[in-house]
Amino acid sequence: MLKVGPLEFVNPVFVAPLAGISNAAFRAMMARFEPALMYTEMISDKALFYQNKKTLKMAQINEDEGRVNVQLFGDDLEALSFAARYVDQHTQATMIDINMGCPVPKVIQGNGGASLMRDPERVKVLVETVVQATTKPVSVKIRTGWNDHEKNAVEVALAAQAGGASLLAIHGRTRAQMYRGEVDLMTIKTVKEALDIPVIGNGDIKTPEDAKKMIEITKVDGVMIGREVLENPWIIEQTIAYLKTGTYTQEVSLDARFSFMKEHAFKLAQLKGEKLAVLEMRSLAAWYVKGLKDSTHFRKTLVQLSAFDGLINHINAYHEHLKQTLNKDSK
């Protein structure tokens, strides 16, 4: 049992925040796999402070999403405090997270994300500000450091803990690495050894075996899976099963894969309208079919679609093509 402040989680598998993807439709789809916790997309403290309508909608959580951690970013104390109070009082958030790991230049230039790791004293103040503004547990997501010469994850993690954080997630790369290179398990291990609060490890978990390896080497309390869920959403339940029993079901049927894809499309259409749903699903569907036979042709046609009905028809046609191909190959 993983305990975070007053909360208890029955499994140690978290779904990472994914920019442009971790919206309410995505979270509702992933909730069926029963992860310990999911994160929203990054939400600007100032956008909430100024009551931006699009941002207010991003912060809302529906009953079918399970436990959700609302992730804030920014370094304005007044705006961050307001944002935390707003999330506390007006959403069904389970927790509030402060992003201190995003490596994207736009976020860095605004003094958010991984840029905060260069100032551990500021980290402590920011965490204290959020903790004082909410009744919910507060978490922080960091990286191993700014670059290979500034690997200060332990110092930053201790500052976050001193500020009152109840949970820390660490991606095993520096800001300079972005998403390239090997994950630094030893730094994750050192951070875990230094803290009293639970630590979640993140980075390059592509299989349940990878998750178990990270836990065995670093002794983290849980794992966070990000980009792999786009290609294989089932990795969440597979990893939960593997960590618990040592085995899991590897195969996912074509029918299940395509049913999941279409349901995701319909949920996106309900959330954002058909036009935006098509634009987003052109990218998501390409992930869902990665590795399947003749997927290159499917993806090439996919990017040309603009109508929602056309999208669904294209998915159905490819599904039928694969079933017929499998029938021929089995004879």
Side-chain angles (χ1 to χ4, degrees):
M1 184 75 69
L2 173 58
K3 293 185 177 182
V4 179
L7 303 174
E8 293 185 345
F9 299 96
V10 295
N11 74 71
V13 182
F14 292 58
V15 179
L18 297 165
I21 295 170
S22 298
N23 51 46
F26 172 83
R27 298 193 302 265
M29 295 302 297
M30 296 305 301
R32 66 191 59 191
F33 302 125
E34 300 184 343
L37 191 70
M38 287 181 286
Y39 287 57
T40 64
E41 302 174 73
M42 287 190 302
I43 296 175
S44 165
D45 58 355
K46 290 184 178 178
L48 276 182
F49 182 78
Y50 290 112
Q51 297 287 278
N52 176 275
K53 289 184 179 180
K54 181 179 178 181
T55 306
L56 292 176
K57 188 174 182 179
M58 285 176 64
Q60 294 306 309
I61 300 163
N62 301 317
E63 292 183 0
D64 62 351
E65 297 178 35
R67 284 177 158 176
V68 178
N69 198 353
V70 173
Q71 187 178 74
L72 304 176
F73 78 95
D75 77 333
D76 183 290
L77 296 183
E78 182 182 9
L80 197 57
S81 179
F82 176 91
R85 289 196 305 274
Y86 179 87
V87 171
D88 186 297
Q89 298 170 14
H90 299 285
T91 79
Q92 297 184 55
T94 302
M95 295 179 60
I96 296 177
D97 183 74
I98 309 171
N99 183 299
M100 298 186 184
C102 179
V104 176
K106 183 179 179 180
V107 175
I108 297 294
Q109 291 164 8
N111 298 321
S115 68
L116 296 171
M117 294 195 63
R118 308 188 88 176
D119 189 352
E121 291 184 8
R122 185 67 171 173
V123 167
K124 181 175 182 290
V125 171
L126 291 171
V127 175
E128 286 175 339
T129 298
V130 175
V131 168
Q132 291 168 8
T134 179
T135 60
K136 302 178 186 299
V138 174
S139 62
V140 177
K141 190 169 189 290
I142 68 171
R143 284 182 167 243
T144 57
W146 182 254
N147 55 39
D148 285 340
H149 303 293
E150 297 181 61
K151 278 196 172 182
N152 63 341
V154 171
E155 185 180 2
V156 172
L158 287 170
Q161 179 175 272
S166 297
L167 175 74
L168 184 120
I170 175 170
H171 181 99
R173 292 184 176 90
T174 64
R175 188 269 166 173
Q177 285 181 282
M178 301 291 283
Y179 298 99
R180 301 181 298 270
E182 292 186 7
V183 166
D184 182 356
L185 295 179
M186 290 302 101
T187 295
I188 295 176
K189 182 176 188 292
T190 303
V191 168
K192 169 57 188 172
E193 291 171 345
L195 297 190
D196 298 318
I197 61 174
V199 175
I200 306 301
N202 173 226
D204 279 1
I205 297 177
K206 299 178 180 180
T207 66
E209 289 83 357
D210 291 337
K212 186 175 182 180
K213 177 183 176 182
M214 180 177 280
I215 291 173
E216 289 179 342
I217 292 175
T218 68
K219 308 304 180 184
V220 289
D221 302 280
V223 292
M224 177 181 284
I225 304 176
R227 288 170 290 174
E228 190 61 30
V229 301
L230 301 177
E231 183 177 342
N232 176 26
W234 291 268
I235 190 175
I236 300 301
E237 66 177 9
Q238 289 170 341
T239 301
I240 292 170
Y242 187 65
L243 294 177
K244 185 176 181 179
T245 68
T247 186
Y248 65 96
T249 302
Q250 297 188 35
E251 295 299 323
V252 177
S253 71
L254 277 179
D255 287 346
R257 185 177 297 274
F258 279 84
S259 175
F260 189 94
M261 192 191 319
K262 287 189 291 184
E263 186 177 350
H264 194 169
F266 281 109
K267 284 186 179 297
L268 270 176
Q270 291 174 346
L271 179 68
K272 298 189 174 186
E274 292 188 356
K275 184 177 180 179
L276 286 177
V278 171
L279 293 177
E280 293 193 16
M281 281 304 300
R282 290 194 315 200
S283 174
L284 290 168
W287 278 101
Y288 282 143
V289 302
K290 188 176 180 181
L292 296 182
K293 189 172 183 178
D294 301 327
S295 61
T296 300
H297 175 72
F298 171 79
R299 292 196 299 270
K300 285 182 177 179
T301 306
L302 187 68
V303 298
Q304 302 170 9
L305 299 175
S306 58
F308 188 78
D309 288 346
L311 170 74
I312 298 302
N313 290 337
H314 187 51
I315 292 172
N316 284 335
Y318 180 47
H319 184 194
E320 187 60 32
H321 166 73
L322 289 177
K323 289 196 293 185
Q324 291 178 2
T325 300
L326 284 174
N327 288 336
K328 289 180 181 178
D329 292 344
S330 63
K331 290 181 180 179

